[in-house]
Amino acid sequence: MSGTRGSTDGRVERGNQTRRLVLDRTMDIASVEGLEGLSLGRIATELKLSKSGVFALFGSKEELQLATVRAATDVYATHVVHPTRELPPGAGRVWALCRNWLTYSSTRVFAGGCFFYAVAAEFDARSGPVHDAIATSLDDWVGYVERTIEKARLAGGFGAELDVPQLAFEIIALMEAANAKSVLHGDEVAYERAARGILNRLRAAATDPAALPGSPDFGGDTPASA
């Protein structure tokens, strides 16, 4: 029995390794070509895997697309959200979150820039499970930004009258504009401009502007965690 369990565990681990290998590739493809660029056959050929093995892991193109969105959500959270979790609520934490996002996009964690910017444009006018998964991930992100700003407001970092959804909308729009211009034109200055715009907006709303850096200090190198 112990030998059987060991053999089973080995197959499961090999399956998990193959799944990770496949999703690492599909996330990069989708960020450049879109989720419609994915197929079980293409991935099997590129990674020199058996098509039947890839099919056994995902079952259909739609499930491959959904698994790719879920995997990208985890990567996104690791690079953008998690490094700020231990920071105290305040304007500085909001800035750290924004800086992490700009770093995530500018350093091309995904080959095509922000994964969700790319696939949202592809599926925004469609319906179905893939559209819904993308929409849910983006709604969760907007909600997280709003909650981070609201916690900062409640902690006294912003004035009581602050329109939280409006501020979240503005800073997300600046980040997405930088991503779009950089991907389309190869313009890295766009991230600097977005960083300055976000900081200016946060400083204007902050009760203590000195709690924020005077300049973006954004070099597109590592995520901010302090």
Side-chain angles (χ1 to χ4, degrees):
M1 291 292 291
S2 60
T4 301
R5 176 168 182 170
S7 176
T8 300
D9 289 346
R11 286 197 298 271
V12 170
E13 179 54 29
R14 286 193 296 274
N16 289 339
Q17 289 176 354
T18 301
R19 186 179 182 87
R20 288 192 292 270
L21 177 68
V22 168
L23 292 174
D24 282 346
R25 180 64 186 132
T26 59
M27 285 187 287
D28 268 350
I29 291 173
S31 73
V32 175
E33 302 178 27
L35 288 163
E36 287 297 335
L38 305 181
S39 74
L40 300 174
R42 173 183 179 176
I43 297 304
T45 299
E46 287 192 8
L47 298 179
K48 297 180 171 55
L49 301 170
S50 71
K51 186 174 180 179
S52 61
V54 176
F55 183 84
L57 287 172
F58 299 99
S60 67
K61 177 175 179 174
E62 182 175 87
E63 180 50 40
L64 180 63
Q65 292 172 327
L66 290 169
T68 299
V69 173
R70 291 191 293 268
T73 299
D74 290 341
V75 172
Y76 186 96
T78 296
H79 285 267
V80 179
V81 175
H82 294 173
T84 68
R85 283 182 169 174
E86 300 305 316
L87 298 179
R93 184 180 179 187
V94 177
W95 165 241
L97 186 66
C98 296
R99 188 181 189 277
N100 287 353
W101 194 98
L102 293 169
T103 300
Y104 143 84
S105 175
S106 67
T107 58
R108 299 296 188 258
V109 170
F110 297 114
C114 179
F115 175 92
F116 291 97
Y117 184 90
V119 300
E122 180 186 16
F123 276 84
D124 57 2
R126 303 188 190 188
S127 60
V130 179
H131 166 277
D132 294 347
I134 295 167
T136 296
S137 289
L138 288 173
D139 286 346
D140 288 347
W141 164 240
V142 172
Y144 186 82
V145 174
E146 290 180 352
R147 289 192 301 277
T148 302
I149 296 171
E150 175 64 9
K151 288 177 181 178
R153 187 187 69 83
L154 293 174
F158 297 118
E161 73 288 351
L162 178 68
D163 186 336
V164 171
Q166 181 65 29
L167 178 57
F169 182 91
E170 290 177 21
I171 61 179
I172 290 172
L174 283 167
M175 291 187 284
E176 291 183 345
N179 177 84
K181 190 167 186 181
S182 172
V183 173
L184 185 61
H185 297 291
D187 180 5
E188 297 308 307
V189 176
Y191 292 109
E192 297 284 353
R193 294 188 186 282
R196 285 198 296 272
I198 292 167
L199 254 185
N200 288 341
R201 184 65 181 90
L202 294 180
R203 287 174 65 83
T207 54
D208 179 14
L212 292 159
S215 61
D217 185 27
F218 172 71
D221 42 17
T222 56
S225 58

